[in-house]
Amino acid sequence: MAESDLHRDQRTDLQAGYELSDLRPGYIAFFGIGLSVVLVIAVVIASLIVHYKTVQHARQDTPIPRLAREREATPGTPLQVDAANELRRVRAAEQAVLKSYGWVDKDAGIVRIPVDRAMEILAKKGLPARKQEEKTR
């Protein structure tokens, strides 16, 4: 406290209606400027930390493989537009194979015959002896 504050008259303080020993406006301005500077420094430090961590995280990420980056889109639509017709076409192709003659392995002499014809041949000749023995066991 200042020496002048000690020797003041108490009656004068009561008549003034306010505190005579308030802070000076210069101190309040100095505090406001100091607080602003501290806030600006805190924001700058926080921004630098965020930037550093972002760069550090980017280095740790595994890069995308070259083939994944260069991969082309699948041509056409991968969805079945008309599944019922596709199934009919597949079944018709299977039936055509089952009802036709053709080579399975020409070098080994293995042919493909229609199922109906194979059943007729098997019915006429009967099962080979070895298979009949296996069935009776």
Side-chain angles (χ1 to χ4, degrees):
M1 277 193 177
E3 199 172 305
S4 62
D5 288 343
L6 294 176
H7 300 292
R8 249 190 309 183
D9 186 14
Q10 297 264 337
R11 286 177 285 164
T12 313
D13 290 345
L14 292 175
Q15 291 173 354
Y18 58 89
E19 180 67 43
L20 297 177
S21 63
D22 282 342
L23 288 175
R24 295 185 184 131
Y27 290 154
I28 295 173
F30 179 71
F31 177 77
I33 291 171
L35 184 62
S36 299
V37 168
V38 168
L39 286 174
V40 168
I41 290 172
V43 168
V44 168
I45 289 173
S47 298
L48 290 175
I49 289 172
V50 167
H51 177 69
Y52 171 75
K53 287 296 185 180
T54 303
V55 170
Q56 188 180 25
H57 182 69
R59 286 184 191 149
Q60 290 176 352
D61 282 348
T62 30
I64 298 172
R66 183 178 56 91
L67 290 176
R69 285 184 303 219
E70 296 173 0
R71 183 176 164 192
E72 294 179 16
T74 306
T77 174
L79 301 176
Q80 286 185 329
V81 178
D82 192 6
N85 281 338
E86 286 183 35
L87 181 62
R88 277 190 218 108
R89 277 187 265 135
V90 168
R91 295 294 163 104
E94 289 173 348
Q95 288 299 319
V97 169
L98 288 175
K99 294 181 179 184
S100 66
Y101 293 89
W103 287 103
V104 174
D105 187 0
K106 198 170 191 175
D107 294 335
I110 301 173
V111 294
R112 178 185 71 238
I113 62 173
V115 175
D116 294 336
R117 179 68 181 132
M119 289 172 61
E120 287 174 13
I121 293 172
L122 191 59
K124 284 182 186 174
K125 289 185 177 180
L127 288 175
R130 186 176 50 198
K131 289 195 178 186
Q132 285 179 354
E133 289 174 7
E134 290 176 4
K135 277 194 164 188
T136 57
R137 289 184 193 175

